[in-house]
Amino acid sequence: MTTDGKLTLHVPEPAVRPGGTPDFSNVKIPKAGAVPRPEIDVEPETIRDLAFSIIRVLNRNGEAVGPWAGLLSDEELVAGMRHMMTLRTFDARMLIAQRQGKTSFYMQHLGEEAVSCAFRMALQPGDMNFPTYRQAGLLIAGGYSMVDMMCQIYSNSRDPLKGRQLPVMYSSQEHGFFTISGNLATQYVQAVGWAMASAISNDTKIAAAWIGDGSTAESDFHAALVFASTYKAPVILNIVNNQWAISTFQGIARGGAGTFAARGLGFGIPSLRVDGNDYLAVYAVAKWAAERARRNLGPTLIEYVTYRVGAHSTSDDPSAYRPKTESDAWPLGDPIIRLKNHLILRGAWSEERHKQAEAEILDTVIAAQKEAESFGTLHAGAKPSAREMFEGVYAEMPPHLRRQRQQAGV
Amino acid sequence: MARMTMIEAIRDAMDVMMARDEKVVVFGEDVGYFGGVFRCTAGLQQKYGRTRCFDAPISEAGIVGTAIGMATYGLRPCIEIQFADYMYPAYDQIVSEAARLRYRSNGEFTCPMVVRMPTGGGIFGGQTHSQSPEALFTHVSGLKTVVPSNPYDAKGLLIAAIEDPDPVIFLEPKRLYNGPFDGHHDRPVTPWSKSDLSEVPDGHFSLPLGKASIVREGAGVTVLTYGTMVYVAQAAAAETGIDAEIIDLRTLLPLDMETIAASVRKTGRCVVVHEATLTSGFGAELSALVQESCFFHLEAPVVRVTGWDTPYPHAQEWDYFPGPARVGRALVETMEA
């Protein structure tokens, strides 16, 4: 309570630091199936409470319950399972490859696999994602070549980006995956523009914008929401709240807002909050938002509540700022284990099939890795030509760059 | 042919391109219904509808960011930042995104976009309606930077910019919108209608980006300049009687080094003139390039006449603006050096 006297500055702190006991008692988790599923043409102001709850489908027993359940077949869920397992295995192998010095840098998705893998399945060919560096599930689930992803990570002679980009900054027009930038939040407003262009052109394609909890503090986030709201752009505005922005806990970006989803309400954008570790819930919510966009009903904002289990990147050590066992205490569990339990309950999966799938996927990833490494790694083997450095700055190389290329002797 | 002001020529360029290519969209603050605070987009919304020409929220990052998204979709946005002084909130989008999309995606995504912005001083615009930030764009790989100085060039260059496959920063000297200005602020303004340069071809025509124009042939000294300073330099040459060869660069990047080098090798002297501040301004690049490519032909040091290294003041407008007297002195000193 403020009394007369000197002012003090409020600086939010996470509940627990290294050495402490992880505590998520402040994270209110509603029961699976408890949140209603509104009609897609709902008036945004009538569903304001959805921005403060969490849409969940899978309950503690692994059953799919409530109004958001029942959208996916056994086959689709098994495919989703394999996508998530593939992404996790891919991450593990690339993390090791970085430690072995085969590349300079890597960022994993550990614990967040459901978000991008399930979301991808709600899109149609021609739609465009504007991802951050932590949505490679969009590529994996979209059928992009793992070899090409690895070649990009290795910056080798087959790197689709010719060695110009840091590892994991993929780009694939064909797979609806916009070129990743190191500058945070820039793509959020670009996604809105892309969606506006689709509407201007009377097209049927929609865009999906992606951002993390920390980057919502960037001004481009706010610009994106204003433009999406003003022009009712056919865009899904995704916020992946994994609780951490490198070492900074989400409270620093969120401030006094109850949730990140609540940010959308002030812009008149329907805003949902979903269990990001629940493959079925992520898919159901993404489908709802995609349908709204496709029916020209405008943007939807979605906050995925999840947890960044891994380090921020290969250059980060989370034990310096959060308890080592914090991820074990995360109340929404692990997306792969939760879907596995559900599939077993449905009779569409078994421990045996899971182990078999793990082995198959590992073989596939290792085979892809061998193939990728045959085209070189960062410090060994074939490399992109130094001439590539000068190409593609402009459509046509201007005279000053031709001179510089000549000087470089390439 | 029709007589046009620079405003009309710019509007006509957008009109021509919007009629030819439905992918061309125009938006910005007050650009739609109202037709722009400088009237550059007047009538376009009525003619092409609200989805081709529209008003934007006051968010430069939003305007440029959404335009980039549109360009990567396949449209050709020609957007407006109301004053170049207000482009800074969009600078991240311009530098980190528009300029690098083609490079970082290996050509998968491109950004055919024009960012128009009124620039320059001489209008009592004070600190935030007078700046000339061109050096902040020419330093960025992947951008093209254009500064027209007359209605004819403005239309031809803007059409070329809209058709260009790469992002183009199109800086419009607002002091020249209604007529040429030679820095003699105490004399009546001449309207464009009195100048041959206001004769603008009807319909579609374009001028190549990266080509300078020699506006006055001479043998004594080469003047490298652009925008409003083209007229100041012409006045200075006339008043000092010095036989200056005045080159209007028109495009700063890519730069027409052939024309520049040929002229300096002929004259042996070079004066660089711009409104922007001196230190690390575009004149430094010009000076270095001339020194590198014409060293053995130079009979005097390359001289720069520019705005002072201060924010653009209000009351001291004519002490700041590099007028014909200052430029004339530099011409004389260079000839005597």
Side-chain angles (χ1 to χ4, degrees), chain A residues 160 162 164-165 171-173 179-181 183 186 189-190 193-194 196-197 201 203 220 227 231 389 391-395, chain B residues 55-57 61-62 65-66 69-70 72-73 75 92-93 96-97 102-106 108-109 142-143 165-166 253:
Chain A
K162 306 292 180 190
R164 294 177 194 151
Q165 270 276 49
S171 172
S172 176
Q173 169 91 258
T179 161
I180 295 178
S181 169
N183 295 63
T186 50
V189 66
Q190 292 162 4
W194 195 97
M196 288 168 70
S201 310
D203 203 342
D220 281 350
F227 278 69
Y231 302 108
M389 189 163 63
E391 297 287 344
V393 182
Y394 299 91
Chain B
D55 292 315
T66 52
M70 290 179 198
T72 64
Y73 172 92
L75 298 187
D92 187 31
Q93 286 287 346
S96 310
E97 301 292 320
R102 179 187 295 278
Y103 189 74
R104 77 173 196 234
S105 71
N106 191 27
E108 274 197 334
F109 295 92
L143 297 179
D166 291 307
L253 197 85

Side-chain angles (χ1 to χ4, degrees), chain B residues 126-140:
Chain B
Q127 296 189 18
T128 56
H129 299 80
S130 308
Q131 295 170 31
S132 299
E134 60 270 16
L136 297 176
F137 299 115
T138 55
H139 189 57
V140 180

Side-chain angles (χ1 to χ4, degrees), chain B:
Chain B
M1 291 290 242
R3 283 206 178 270
M4 292 183 191
T5 65
M6 199 144 138
I7 290 167
E8 289 162 342
I10 286 163
R11 183 196 308 149
D12 193 44
M14 285 185 272
D15 191 355
V16 165
M17 288 310 296
M18 288 177 89
R20 271 171 77 97
D21 184 353
E22 62 179 18
K23 292 188 169 72
V24 177
V25 292
V26 168
F27 64 102
E29 295 157 21
D30 305 298
V31 159
Y33 181 85
F34 180 59
V37 295
F38 291 107
R39 316 311 300 149
C40 288
T41 56
L44 295 179
Q45 186 175 78
Q46 287 92 318
K47 194 167 172 184
Y48 297 99
R50 279 204 303 271
T51 63
R52 296 283 306 285
C53 176
F54 53 91
D55 292 315
I58 303 176
S59 167
E60 287 76 16
I63 292 166
V64 175
T66 52
I68 291 169
M70 290 179 198
T72 64
Y73 172 92
L75 298 187
R76 288 184 172 262
C78 178
I79 56 169
E80 179 179 305
I81 300 293
Q82 202 160 78
F83 287 88
D85 315 59
Y86 300 131
M87 68 84 186
Y88 303 103
Y91 198 56
D92 187 31
Q93 286 287 346
I94 293 171
V95 176
S96 310
E97 301 292 320
R100 297 199 201 139
L101 282 180
R102 179 187 295 278
Y103 189 74
R104 77 173 196 234
S105 71
N106 191 27
E108 274 197 334
F109 295 92
T110 62
C111 192
M113 170 181 81
V114 179
V115 187
R116 294 179 39 244
M117 36 184 120
T119 187
I123 57 152
F124 283 97
Q127 296 189 18
T128 56
H129 299 80
S130 308
Q131 295 170 31
S132 299
E134 60 270 16
L136 297 176
F137 299 115
T138 55
H139 189 57
V140 180
S141 312
L143 297 179
K144 295 181 178 177
T145 302
V146 176
V147 192
S149 69
N150 61 68
Y152 177 87
D153 285 1
K155 179 174 174 182
L157 291 169
L158 183 52
I159 287 176
I162 294 171
E163 290 177 333
D164 197 272
D166 291 307
V168 179
I169 305 297
F170 198 83
L171 294 160
E172 302 166 1
K174 58 184 139 359
R175 177 71 236 201
L176 302 180
Y177 269 159
N178 292 303
F181 177 67
D182 63 8
H184 285 293
H185 52 91
D186 45 351
R187 297 178 193 168
V189 176
T190 355
W192 277 117
S193 57
K194 301 241 166 88
S195 161
D196 288 346
L197 294 166
S198 70
E199 289 278 356
V200 178
D202 298 320
H204 181 275
F205 91 101
S206 68
L207 293 169
L209 304 185
K211 289 274 173 260
S213 151
I214 299 174
V215 298
R216 183 194 189 281
E217 288 198 14
V221 51
T222 299
V223 179
L224 302 179
T225 190
Y226 48 91
T228 308
M229 289 301 137
V230 169
Y231 304 97
V232 176
Q234 283 173 298
E239 287 157 24
T240 54
I242 286 170
D243 187 20
E245 177 145 296
I246 300 172
I247 300 180
D248 178 356
L249 299 173
R250 301 201 286 197
T251 305
L252 306 190
L253 197 85
L255 185 65
D256 185 355
M257 265 316 287
E258 278 182 34
T259 299
I260 293 171
S263 176
V264 177
R265 283 174 194 158
K266 178 178 78 177
T267 62
R269 296 168 200 273
C270 181
V271 173
V272 175
V273 186
H274 60 58
E275 284 183 70
T277 51
L278 176 72
T279 302
S280 302
F282 190 64
E285 183 65 29
L286 290 169
S287 172
L289 286 167
V290 164
Q291 184 271 133
E292 281 165 19
S293 58
C294 310
F295 185 75
F296 295 107
H297 295 81
L298 282 175
E299 291 167 41
V302 179
V303 169
R304 291 175 284 165
V305 188
T306 72
W308 308 118
D309 281 340
T310 71
Y312 206 111
H314 185 239
Q316 302 89 340
E317 177 87 276
W318 306 117
D319 299 303
Y320 181 91
F321 184 93
R326 264 177 71 198
V327 176
R329 275 200 300 280
L331 293 178
V332 171
E333 282 165 18
T334 302
M335 292 308 292
E336 288 168 356

Side-chain angles (χ1 to χ4, degrees), chain A residues 5-16:
Chain A
K6 288 181 181 174
L7 298 167
T8 59
L9 181 71
H10 171 66
V11 181
E13 260 294 299
V16 192

